[in-house]
Amino acid sequence: MRFVLAAGTTRTATIEGISAAGATPELMADTPAIDAEILVYGQPVSSDLVPVSPTGCPTPAVISRAVRERVGFDVTVIDAGLAAETDAPTVSVGAQPGRDIREEHAVPRADAVFHRARKFGRSLPDDELFVAETIPGGTTTAAAVLRALGADLGVSSSLPENPLALKEQVVTTALDASGIERGELVDSPLAAIEAVGDPVQATVAGLTVGALESGSSVTLAGGTQLVATAALVRAFGCGEPLSLATTHFVAADPAVDLDAATAALELDVTVTDPGFEHSEHVAMERYVAGEAKEGVGMGGALALADRAAVGMGAIRGQIASVYDRLDPDSTPESEPPVTGGDR
């Protein structure tokens, strides 16, 4: 089993009030690069910053890393449009940072990114892949792509109060800027990504299609951003079995009808509740308050822990340990080893 993280950016995240995946809109550009380092090394390497929300909610990378330390799994990070350099080893698919979707051509050369990611997905020898994402602003680009495809599905938010009106305004402006009617691109998924999507969508969709074509099983490890990717995969005509592993926090979001989404897209869904309400640690209490909810494969990682019969109490303890040692003066070599490698 291989855990693949597609890390990228979109300027859409800088719209005020859209995302909490960083202490400020400016710092959100660094979040995916540092998320990759935390997942791989257990701490930031290229920066002293630990991605947190404006209220201090830590990145879901902390949770996925904690599970990795208890369960052990191989990790591959794909540069899916990073705006900041990362010291995590990455695979390139030629992606560039995404533009604000209110501008034309949000993802130039989306087709080239998709096809390179598809080729990479076909090349992986693993029988099973868990595919994750990290991209601030990704639920808004997900909403835009879903509308372009004609899928009337809700999206979650990293904020405790989902800014649905703002997202709808941004999506409407984006579709208008590209001259697209809702549902117009139902048979043109690459055009939907290029017009109003983000580079992570092109990467994950291509990777997933390629892996499924080669006979690997794929679990999309995430929330509504990966529901949008599943819609893209289906729009490409890929009908192979596909799974989604997400968190209780996404499933409980009133803006999200997960049952309707998974039924429409023929997804096998796994929802895991980590029981964060049983902890008062800062690494978990903000999730209970409704922040973050998902990202960096958190739902998939928790599902892997459950599959390995590692109790959620043990996972919560490991999350606290990972968070508490996130110290800019420490070094990757001082972190506990994990089973599995990095590619």
Coordinates of all heavy atoms in Angstrom, one line a residue, residues 95-142:
A95 N 3.2 20.5 -13.0 CA 2.1 21.4 -12.5 C 2.7 22.8 -12.0 O 3.8 22.8 -11.5 CB 1.3 20.8 -11.4
Q96 N 1.9 23.8 -12.3 CA 2.2 25.2 -11.8 C 1.2 25.6 -10.8 O 0.0 25.1 -10.8 CB 2.3 26.1 -12.9 CG 3.4 25.8 -13.9 CD 4.8 25.9 -13.3 OE1 5.1 26.8 -12.6 NE2 5.6 24.9 -13.7
P97 N 1.4 26.6 -9.9 CA 0.4 27.1 -9.0 C -0.8 27.5 -9.8 O -0.7 28.1 -10.9 CB 1.1 28.2 -8.3 CG 2.5 27.9 -8.3 CD 2.8 27.2 -9.6
G98 N -2.0 27.2 -9.2 CA -3.2 27.6 -9.9 C -3.5 29.1 -9.7 O -3.2 29.7 -8.7
R99 N -4.2 29.7 -10.7 CA -4.7 31.1 -10.6 C -6.0 31.2 -9.9 O -6.7 30.2 -9.6 CB -4.8 31.6 -12.0 CG -3.6 31.6 -12.9 CD -3.9 32.0 -14.3 NE -2.6 32.0 -15.1 CZ -2.6 32.1 -16.5 NH1 -3.8 32.2 -17.1 NH2 -1.5 32.1 -17.1
D100 N -6.3 32.4 -9.5 CA -7.6 32.7 -9.0 C -8.7 32.3 -10.0 O -8.6 32.7 -11.2 CB -7.7 34.2 -8.7 CG -9.0 34.6 -8.0 OD1 -10.1 34.0 -8.2 OD2 -8.9 35.6 -7.2
I101 N -9.7 31.5 -9.6 CA -10.6 31.0 -10.6 C -11.5 32.0 -11.1 O -12.3 31.8 -12.1 CB -11.5 29.8 -10.0 CG1 -12.3 30.3 -8.8 CG2 -10.6 28.6 -9.7 CD1 -13.3 29.2 -8.3
R102 N -11.5 33.2 -10.6 CA -12.3 34.3 -11.1 C -11.6 34.9 -12.4 O -12.2 35.8 -13.0 CB -12.5 35.4 -10.1 CG -13.3 34.9 -8.9 CD -13.3 36.0 -7.8 NE -12.0 36.3 -7.3 CZ -11.7 37.1 -6.3 NH1 -12.7 37.8 -5.7 NH2 -10.5 37.3 -5.9
E103 N -10.4 34.4 -12.7 CA -9.7 34.8 -13.9 C -9.9 33.7 -14.9 O -10.1 32.5 -14.5 CB -8.2 35.0 -13.6 CG -7.9 36.1 -12.5 CD -6.4 36.1 -12.1 OE1 -5.6 35.4 -12.8 OE2 -6.1 36.8 -11.2
E104 N -9.6 34.0 -16.2 CA -9.7 33.0 -17.2 C -8.5 32.0 -17.1 O -7.4 32.4 -16.6 CB -9.7 33.6 -18.6 CG -11.0 34.3 -18.9 CD -11.0 34.8 -20.4 OE1 -11.3 33.9 -21.2 OE2 -10.8 36.0 -20.6
H105 N -8.7 30.8 -17.4 CA -7.7 29.8 -17.5 C -7.0 29.6 -16.1 O -5.8 29.9 -15.9 CB -6.6 30.1 -18.5 CG -7.2 30.3 -19.9 ND1 -7.8 29.3 -20.6 CD2 -7.2 31.4 -20.7 CE1 -8.2 29.8 -21.7 NE2 -7.9 31.1 -21.8
A106 N -7.8 29.1 -15.1 CA -7.3 28.9 -13.8 C -6.1 27.9 -13.7 O -5.2 28.1 -12.9 CB -8.4 28.5 -12.9
V107 N -6.1 26.9 -14.6 CA -5.1 25.9 -14.6 C -4.6 25.8 -16.1 O -5.0 24.9 -16.8 CB -5.6 24.6 -14.1 CG1 -4.4 23.6 -14.0 CG2 -6.3 24.7 -12.8
P108 N -3.6 26.6 -16.5 CA -3.1 26.4 -17.8 C -2.4 25.1 -18.0 O -1.8 24.6 -17.0 CB -2.0 27.6 -17.9 CG -2.5 28.6 -16.9 CD -3.1 27.8 -15.8
R109 N -2.6 24.4 -19.1 CA -2.0 23.1 -19.4 C -2.5 22.0 -18.5 O -1.7 21.1 -18.1 CB -0.4 23.2 -19.3 CG 0.2 24.2 -20.3 CD 1.7 24.3 -20.3 NE 2.3 23.1 -20.7 CZ 2.9 22.2 -19.8 NH1 3.0 22.5 -18.5 NH2 3.5 21.1 -20.3
A110 N -3.7 22.1 -18.1 CA -4.3 21.1 -17.2 C -4.2 19.7 -17.9 O -4.0 18.7 -17.3 CB -5.8 21.4 -16.9
D111 N -4.3 19.7 -19.3 CA -4.3 18.5 -20.0 C -2.9 17.8 -19.8 O -2.8 16.6 -19.6 CB -4.6 18.6 -21.4 CG -3.8 19.7 -22.1 OD1 -3.1 20.5 -21.5 OD2 -3.7 19.7 -23.4
A112 N -1.9 18.6 -19.9 CA -0.5 18.0 -19.8 C -0.3 17.5 -18.4 O 0.3 16.4 -18.2 CB 0.5 19.1 -20.1
V113 N -0.7 18.2 -17.4 CA -0.6 17.7 -16.0 C -1.4 16.4 -15.8 O -0.8 15.4 -15.2 CB -1.1 18.8 -15.0 CG1 -1.1 18.2 -13.6 CG2 -0.2 20.0 -15.1
F114 N -2.6 16.4 -16.3 CA -3.4 15.2 -16.2 C -2.7 14.0 -16.8 O -2.6 12.9 -16.2 CB -4.8 15.4 -16.8 CG -5.6 14.2 -16.9 CD1 -6.4 13.8 -15.9 CD2 -5.6 13.4 -18.1 CE1 -7.2 12.6 -15.9 CE2 -6.4 12.2 -18.1 CZ -7.2 11.8 -17.1
H115 N -2.2 14.1 -18.0 CA -1.6 13.0 -18.7 C -0.3 12.5 -18.1 O 0.0 11.3 -18.1 CB -1.5 13.3 -20.2 CG -2.8 13.4 -20.9 ND1 -3.6 12.3 -21.1 CD2 -3.4 14.5 -21.6 CE1 -4.7 12.7 -21.7 NE2 -4.6 14.0 -22.1
R116 N 0.5 13.5 -17.6 CA 1.7 13.1 -16.9 C 1.4 12.3 -15.6 O 2.0 11.3 -15.2 CB 2.6 14.3 -16.6 CG 3.3 14.8 -17.9 CD 4.3 15.9 -17.6 NE 5.4 15.4 -16.8 CZ 6.5 16.2 -16.6 NH1 6.5 17.4 -17.0 NH2 7.5 15.7 -15.9
A117 N 0.4 12.8 -14.9 CA 0.0 12.1 -13.6 C -0.6 10.8 -14.0 O -0.4 9.8 -13.2 CB -1.1 13.0 -12.9
R118 N -1.4 10.7 -15.1 CA -2.0 9.4 -15.5 C -0.8 8.4 -15.8 O -0.9 7.2 -15.3 CB -2.8 9.6 -16.7 CG -3.6 8.4 -17.2 CD -4.4 8.8 -18.4 NE -5.4 7.8 -18.8 CZ -6.2 7.9 -19.8 NH1 -6.3 9.1 -20.4 NH2 -7.1 6.9 -20.1
K119 N 0.2 8.8 -16.5 CA 1.3 7.9 -16.8 C 2.0 7.5 -15.5 O 2.4 6.3 -15.3 CB 2.3 8.7 -17.7 CG 3.5 7.8 -18.1 CD 4.4 8.6 -19.0 CE 5.6 7.8 -19.5 NZ 6.5 8.6 -20.4
F120 N 2.2 8.4 -14.5 CA 2.8 8.1 -13.3 C 1.9 7.0 -12.5 O 2.4 6.1 -11.9 CB 3.0 9.3 -12.4 CG 3.6 9.0 -11.1 CD1 4.9 8.5 -11.0 CD2 3.0 9.3 -9.9 CE1 5.5 8.2 -9.8 CE2 3.5 9.0 -8.7 CZ 4.8 8.5 -8.6
G121 N 0.6 7.3 -12.5 CA -0.3 6.3 -11.8 C -0.2 4.9 -12.4 O -0.2 3.9 -11.7
R122 N -0.1 4.8 -13.7 CA 0.1 3.5 -14.4 C 1.4 2.9 -14.0 O 1.5 1.6 -14.0 CB 0.0 3.7 -15.9 CG -1.4 4.0 -16.5 CD -1.2 4.3 -18.0 NE -2.5 4.5 -18.6 CZ -2.6 5.0 -19.8 NH1 -1.6 5.4 -20.5 NH2 -3.8 5.1 -20.4
S123 N 2.4 3.7 -13.7 CA 3.7 3.1 -13.4 C 3.9 2.6 -12.0 O 4.8 1.8 -11.8 CB 4.8 4.2 -13.7 OG 4.8 5.1 -12.6
L124 N 3.0 3.0 -11.1 CA 3.2 2.5 -9.7 C 3.0 1.1 -9.6 O 1.9 0.5 -10.1 CB 2.3 3.4 -8.8 CG 2.7 4.8 -8.6 CD1 1.6 5.6 -7.9 CD2 4.0 5.0 -7.9
P125 N 3.8 0.3 -8.9 CA 3.7 -1.1 -8.8 C 2.8 -1.6 -7.7 O 2.5 -2.8 -7.5 CB 5.1 -1.6 -8.5 CG 5.7 -0.4 -7.7 CD 5.1 0.8 -8.3
D126 N 2.3 -0.6 -6.9 CA 1.5 -1.0 -5.7 C 0.1 -1.5 -6.0 O -0.6 -1.0 -6.9 CB 1.4 0.2 -4.8 CG 2.7 0.8 -4.5 OD1 3.4 0.4 -3.5 OD2 3.2 1.7 -5.2
D127 N -0.4 -2.5 -5.3 CA -1.7 -3.0 -5.5 C -2.8 -2.1 -5.0 O -3.9 -2.1 -5.5 CB -1.9 -4.4 -4.8 CG -1.0 -5.4 -5.4 OD1 -0.7 -5.3 -6.6 OD2 -0.6 -6.4 -4.7
E128 N -2.4 -1.2 -4.0 CA -3.4 -0.3 -3.4 C -2.8 1.0 -3.2 O -1.6 1.2 -2.7 CB -3.8 -0.9 -2.0 CG -4.8 -0.1 -1.3 CD -5.2 -0.7 0.0 OE1 -4.4 -1.5 0.6 OE2 -6.3 -0.4 0.5
L129 N -3.5 2.1 -3.5 CA -3.1 3.4 -3.3 C -4.2 4.2 -2.4 O -5.4 4.0 -2.6 CB -3.0 4.2 -4.6 CG -1.9 3.7 -5.6 CD1 -2.0 4.6 -6.9 CD2 -0.5 3.7 -5.0
F130 N -3.7 5.0 -1.5 CA -4.5 6.0 -0.8 C -4.0 7.3 -1.4 O -2.8 7.6 -1.2 CB -4.3 5.9 0.7 CG -5.2 4.9 1.4 CD1 -5.3 3.6 1.0 CD2 -6.1 5.3 2.3 CE1 -6.1 2.7 1.6 CE2 -7.0 4.5 3.0 CZ -7.0 3.1 2.6
V131 N -4.9 8.1 -2.0 CA -4.5 9.3 -2.6 C -5.1 10.5 -1.9 O -6.3 10.6 -1.7 CB -5.0 9.3 -4.1 CG1 -4.5 10.6 -4.8 CG2 -4.5 8.1 -4.8
A132 N -4.2 11.4 -1.5 CA -4.6 12.5 -0.6 C -4.2 13.9 -1.3 O -3.5 13.9 -2.3 CB -3.9 12.4 0.8
E133 N -4.7 14.9 -0.7 CA -4.4 16.3 -1.2 C -4.1 17.3 -0.1 O -4.5 17.1 1.1 CB -5.6 16.8 -2.0 CG -7.0 16.8 -1.3 CD -7.1 17.8 -0.1 OE1 -6.5 18.9 -0.2 OE2 -7.8 17.6 0.8
T134 N -3.4 18.3 -0.4 CA -3.3 19.5 0.4 C -3.2 20.7 -0.5 O -2.3 20.9 -1.3 CB -2.0 19.4 1.4 OG1 -1.9 20.7 2.0 CG2 -0.7 19.1 0.6
I135 N -4.3 21.5 -0.4 CA -4.3 22.7 -1.2 C -5.3 23.7 -0.6 O -6.6 23.4 -0.6 CB -4.7 22.4 -2.7 CG1 -4.8 23.8 -3.5 CG2 -6.0 21.6 -2.8 CD1 -4.9 23.6 -5.0
P136 N -4.9 24.7 0.1 CA -5.8 25.7 0.6 C -6.7 26.3 -0.5 O -6.3 26.5 -1.6 CB -4.9 26.8 1.2 CG -3.6 26.1 1.5 CD -3.5 25.1 0.4
G137 N -8.0 26.5 -0.1 CA -8.9 27.0 -1.1 C -9.5 25.9 -2.0 O -10.3 26.2 -2.9
G138 N -9.2 24.7 -1.7 CA -9.6 23.6 -2.6 C -11.1 23.3 -2.5 O -11.6 22.7 -3.5
T139 N -11.8 23.6 -1.5 CA -13.2 23.3 -1.5 C -13.9 24.3 -2.4 O -15.0 23.9 -3.0 CB -13.8 23.4 -0.1 OG1 -13.6 24.6 0.5 CG2 -13.2 22.3 0.8
T140 N -13.4 25.5 -2.6 CA -14.0 26.5 -3.5 C -13.8 26.1 -4.9 O -14.8 26.1 -5.7 CB -13.5 27.9 -3.2 OG1 -13.7 28.2 -1.8 CG2 -14.2 28.9 -4.1
T141 N -12.6 25.6 -5.3 CA -12.4 25.2 -6.6 C -13.1 23.9 -6.9 O -13.6 23.6 -8.0 CB -10.9 25.0 -6.9 OG1 -10.3 24.1 -5.9 CG2 -10.1 26.3 -6.9
A142 N -13.3 23.1 -5.8 CA -14.1 21.9 -6.0 C -15.6 22.2 -6.3 O -16.2 21.6 -7.2 CB -14.1 21.0 -4.7

